[in-house]
Amino acid sequence: MVRVQRQFFEIPTVELAEKLLGKMFTRVLPDGTVLKGKIVETEAYLGEGDEACHAWRGQTPRNHSMFCKPGTIYVYFTYGCHYMLNIVSEPENRAGAVLIRAMEPLEGISFMQLQRGLNTLTCLMSGPGKLTGAMAIGPECNGRDLFGSEFLLEDAPEIPAELIGTGRRIGISRSRELPWRKFILGNPHVSKGKPS
DNA sequence: AGCGTGATCTTT
DNA sequence: AAGATCACGCTG
């Protein structure tokens, strides 16, 4: 098992969105339960020039962790019912993050099914709100990073460019023309949302 | 295709 | 203080 180091995140955000595909994200619960999934879909959000990004107009209490060191976790609440998981990019004091939109479940599947109230596999983490539900990720995770004992990102071979799909981001109204959504072509766990 | 549900941010 | 806006998921 090779653990991804902080240096890995010190690349431009859109590039990071591609490089995160195929990597394995793990959360270890306080009771030792291991929840693990392969990242199959991401979106890049940049502070400057990207009106869809929470931080496009500067720092606020909510988006604070987006300005922290690369590899920090940014979690926020939306639509009155969902938490979103992001991994911070860009140097400290500059905003940027990659939204993790979908994963393929690898470990802790029965726990995830219990969390989600489902028996299937392909609907377990095929959306940004679904995967935080499956992994029991909430506001307490905001501001943590991937280098402690609670989270880790495990390295995996880079996905070849011809297997990566690109498109517009889902569910936003501003800066919608930017092709900053990245996903693994043909993977059944990619979300079914349509670009706006 | 519609709506729940609540924090956040902008405008008055 | 009020209102609009949301990086969504589920039902029908």
Side-chain angles (χ1 to χ4, degrees):
Chain A
M1 200 275 276
V2 181
R3 194 167 179 163
V4 170
Q5 303 298 312
R6 194 182 293 278
Q7 192 182 354
F8 171 82
F9 300 91
E10 296 171 356
I11 54 176
T13 303
V14 179
E15 192 181 333
L16 182 62
E18 294 175 355
K19 293 258 161 70
L20 281 172
L21 295 174
K23 301 289 184 275
M24 291 174 290
F25 179 91
T26 297
R27 164 151 156 89
V28 182
L29 298 178
D31 71 357
T33 305
V34 174
L35 305 173
K36 178 164 155 182
K38 178 168 94 168
I39 299 174
V40 300
E41 181 180 355
T42 60
E43 280 176 5
Y45 287 86
L46 266 177
E48 290 174 29
D50 176 9
E51 294 191 43
C53 179
H54 290 162
W56 73 282
R57 240 183 312 208
Q59 194 166 348
T60 69
R62 172 166 78 156
N63 64 33
H64 165 79
S65 49
M66 249 192 157
F67 292 81
C68 295
K69 287 189 211 168
T72 302
I73 288 173
Y74 170 43
V75 175
Y76 70 90
F77 185 67
T78 192
Y79 287 104
C81 38
H82 301 293
Y83 292 96
M84 300 285 125
L85 171 67
N86 301 254
I87 299 177
V88 174
S89 60
E90 302 294 321
E92 198 166 3
N93 298 319
R94 279 196 40 170
V98 175
L99 170 69
I100 308 301
R101 280 196 59 86
M103 291 196 240
E104 175 177 333
L106 294 178
E107 207 173 320
I109 291 173
S110 56
F111 178 95
M112 296 177 189
Q113 288 176 328
L114 200 63
Q115 280 288 303
R116 301 263 296 114
L118 291 173
N119 290 326
T120 58
L121 263 188
T122 48
C123 289
L124 223 44
M125 299 208 284
S126 57
K130 297 180 186 178
L131 71 89
T132 53
M135 288 198 167
I137 289 172
E140 71 281 2
C141 302
N142 186 38
R144 307 264 169 88
D145 69 30
L146 290 168
F147 315 105
S149 55
E150 186 183 359
F151 295 97
L152 74 91
L153 194 69
E154 189 178 330
D155 204 5
E158 200 168 312
I159 305 292
E162 64 269 24
L163 296 182
I164 298 181
T166 290
R168 293 192 266 182
R169 295 173 293 178
I170 311 280
I172 56 167
S173 55
R174 294 176 297 203
S175 299
R176 71 173 68 155
E177 69 286 354
L178 298 171
W180 286 356
R181 170 174 176 248
K182 309 285 174 182
F183 55 97
I184 299 181
L185 286 171
N187 187 292
H189 298 87
V190 170
S191 77
K192 279 105 197 145
K194 287 191 177 151
S196 46

